[in-house]
Amino acid sequence: MAIRNIREIGDPVLNKKCKEVKEMNARTRELINDMFETMYEADGVGLAAPQVGILKRITVIDVTGEDPLLLINPVVLETSGEQTAYEGCLSVPGKSGIVTRANYVKVRAYDENMEVFETEGTELLARAILHEVEHLDGRLYVERVEGDLVNTADLLEEE
């Protein structure tokens, strides 16, 4: 496993639509392991493949630090409710912005064995899933920010 470089806003790979994963192989397994390691090393709660320069529909998420979630070729099936909160991104370091997203999401995806499954989440997990799925379509959260981006350090001082 290895820590990969996280691409930052302005890198054109972040604005490209990712391709579906057709089969699991050793390179894809290595990518997934590297993505988890990279996410944890960066203290993130989610990471999508384009953030490490790979245009595949793969995202890893762990909002608790104890419940890693892998989504391959995720498709949002249902959303409901609404939540508004500050959101950040490993590809937009040091910045946060207010974003409104659904408070509930249900997705269908494939696991590491290319077995289809469905999962759902609320609150932070819903926010993370929706944020990461948008990365797979070449979109960054900054497109949704209400108002201006702020320095994340300033938010931490307010707490």
Side-chain angles (χ1 to χ4, degrees):
M1 293 199 307
I3 305 295
R4 298 204 183 197
N5 291 327
I6 297 174
R7 305 295 181 95
E8 294 184 4
I9 191 168
D11 188 317
V13 74
L14 295 173
N15 301 112
K16 294 184 177 173
K17 191 170 173 105
C18 295
K19 295 182 174 145
E20 285 194 2
V21 176
K22 302 289 187 196
E23 64 178 3
M24 184 57 60
N25 58 39
R27 286 183 63 187
T28 303
R29 285 188 196 284
E30 180 181 12
L31 170 64
I32 291 165
N33 290 333
D34 290 354
M35 286 175 62
F36 273 114
E37 189 172 348
T38 302
M39 176 186 70
Y40 290 130
E41 178 70 19
D43 291 325
V45 298
L47 187 70
Q51 290 180 274
V52 293
I54 307 296
L55 291 173
K56 290 188 176 183
R57 297 189 71 79
I58 300 172
T59 183
V60 296
I61 298 169
D62 191 345
V63 298
T64 65
E66 300 172 357
D67 196 17
L69 177 62
L70 166 66
L71 301 174
I72 299 173
N73 302 333
V75 175
V76 175
L77 301 175
E78 183 181 335
T79 61
S80 65
E82 188 173 274
Q83 60 172 310
T84 301
Y86 277 99
E87 191 167 309
C89 179
L90 295 174
S91 291
V92 189
K95 299 289 185 183
S96 297
I98 295 176
V99 176
T100 298
R101 293 196 184 272
N103 195 53
Y104 165 83
V105 65
K106 181 177 185 179
V107 294
R108 179 184 311 117
Y110 292 87
D111 65 15
E112 66 277 2
N113 299 312
M114 295 304 288
E115 301 280 334
V116 71
F117 72 100
E118 291 183 4
T119 190
E120 55 191 3
T122 60
E123 299 174 359
L124 181 57
L125 180 55
R127 177 176 294 280
I129 290 170
L130 292 168
H131 176 113
E132 299 307 329
V133 169
E134 283 186 351
H135 272 299
L136 303 180
D137 292 324
R139 299 187 60 208
L140 295 173
Y141 86 100
V142 296
E143 298 171 29
R144 295 181 164 272
V145 170
E146 301 163 18
D148 295 325
L149 290 175
V150 298
N151 289 322
T152 303
D154 294 342
L155 294 176
L156 297 174
E157 289 175 9
E158 292 175 11
E159 290 181 355

